[in-house]
Amino acid sequence: MFTEADALERDAADPGHRDLFHVPPAEGGRYAEAAYLAGNSLGLQPRATRGDLLDDLDAWARLGVEGHLDAARPWLPYHEFLTGTAARLVGALPAETVVMNSLTVNLHLLMVSFYRPVGTRTKIVIEDTAFPSDSYAVRSQARFHDLDPDATVVRLDPADVLSYLAREGHEVALVLLGGVNYLTGELMDIPAITRAGHEAGALVGWDLAHAAGNVPLELHEWGPDFAAWCSYKYLNAGPGALGGVFVHERHLGDPAVPRFEGWWSTEPATRFEMAPVSRPPATADAWQISNPPIYAMGPVRTSLEIFDRVGMAELRARSRRLTGYLESLLDELPVTLVTPRDPDRRGSQLSLRIGPGSAHELAKRLRHEFGVITDAREPDIVRAAPVPLYCTYHDCWRLADALAHVIEEVR
Ligand SMILES: *Cc1c(COP(=O)(O)O)cnc(C)c1O
């Protein structure tokens, strides 16, 4: 039933938007293009990125300093060109959204505002499989407040978060979880956990690195205090691309919320008054510090416009079809799925436990012998993401076919 011809037929009936992207050549196997299933780690380059970036570079060559105001996309308000599309992507108000810095930097800036330990309410809840950068960030925040990170940071199995909050929530200052877990691909119940955190009197933030551009989000309605994400995974804005930030409306313009500030934290109209005291706007822009890196913002702008045109509803629907198809193929193989089976509890990523044997060794063979690109987390997890924008049913079929050939040899 799951033949190559069947995969090609599905592609003809349900094409994505692969033509908008550069797909790397295969390094091995019988096909010209790689089966690229690592978009959860680094998304592919949109074809439009290079031209858009060159336009922005030309403005500098032609205009010098005058490009701040006179470029076709002027540099002074450049970040504003990204706000509308970023806000729609995560279900936020434009005033709640800004694109700036990198993800972990933004988590720190947001914790300056929203991790305020007082008395016995000092704890930070994260998941036991938290991405290491997030774990280092919260531990260093605890130390910054002269607290013992081992006693302050509580690492929980995601299934235990709600009961922990009901029992010990009075000691929790901040809940900071991944919206989609980077390792297992599990999509958390963001509204329910947000509500439970608030009922316990804590503030709630979400790391949406693996959720933004992967699953539909309604941040304004769900009501977390803040969120941050990167733009180089599902968002295809290139290695190290700038991240996005959400601060809920209820905190905007509140003088009681502390922030680290610089000249981009003030009202644009007052920026060049060179005044000693800032007048921050009542928007997430107030969390900006420095003038933004235009050539890092450009690719984020290009990519967000693709998401805006296609829409998350269409992407989510195709993601379910592709991911479900890959799941059926993998069920024929001796691998264990660690990602939830329920399509409502996952995005585009399936994580496989390959049993004894090295995940890196397997990923290497898939790449060099079959031109199939996945990514490995030691000791035995291989992650594969059939990204709905540019992946195909044939890509999924190639992964299953390659796994069938090598899995027994790797263990
Ligand atoms: C990818 C990822 C990061 C990366 O952080 P940077 O600051 O962008 O280097 C952090 N946290 C999570 C959960 C991630 O998935």
Side-chain angles (χ1 to χ4, degrees), residues 72-192:
R73 287 185 286 270
W75 306 328
L76 273 181
Y78 198 101
H79 73 274
E80 295 172 13
F81 304 136
L82 293 74
T83 301
T85 51
R88 279 192 287 281
L89 182 81
V90 298
L93 304 176
E96 295 172 319
T97 313
V98 63
V99 173
M100 61 181 194
N101 310 312
S102 297
L103 171 53
T104 313
V105 171
N106 285 335
L107 289 176
H108 277 298
L109 293 178
L110 290 161
M111 282 192 276
V112 163
S113 298
F114 301 116
Y115 175 53
R116 310 281 296 156
V118 274
T120 54
R121 190 183 281 282
T122 59
K123 296 207 156 89
I124 308 176
V125 169
I126 63 172
E127 66 274 56
D128 54 3
T129 51
F131 193 82
S133 196
D134 300 45
S135 182
Y136 306 157
V138 295
R139 290 178 62 83
S140 63
Q141 284 282 330
R143 270 195 303 276
F144 178 71
H145 288 279
D146 297 322
L147 296 166
D148 171 7
D150 290 331
T152 303
V153 176
V154 181
R155 302 176 65 98
L156 295 178
D157 184 316
D160 298 337
V161 169
L162 290 179
S163 59
Y164 181 86
L165 287 172
R167 211 172 54 243
E168 313 280 347
H170 57 281
E171 294 193 338
V172 176
L174 174 66
V175 179
L176 179 59
L177 301 171
V180 171
N181 185 272
Y182 84 98
L183 186 66
T184 64
E186 178 180 3
L187 167 60
M188 304 297 288
D189 189 341
I190 298 176

Side-chain angles (χ1 to χ4, degrees), residues 370-391:
F370 299 91
V372 174
I373 302 190
T374 55
D375 92 13
R377 287 286 174 271
E378 287 298 338
D380 65 347
I381 301 279
V382 168
R383 305 184 299 175
V387 170
L389 265 174
Y390 50 74
C391 286

Side-chain angles (χ1 to χ4, degrees), residues 301-318:
R301 190 183 62 77
T302 304
S303 171
L304 285 173
E305 285 175 3
I306 294 176
F307 279 85
D308 211 41
R309 265 197 323 276
V310 177
M312 275 312 296
E314 178 187 323
L315 289 175
R316 175 62 163 163
R318 187 162 191 272

Side-chain angles (χ1 to χ4, degrees), residues 353-364:
R353 180 158 279 133
I354 64 162
S358 154
H360 274 292
E361 175 63 22
L362 178 63
K364 214 157 70 194

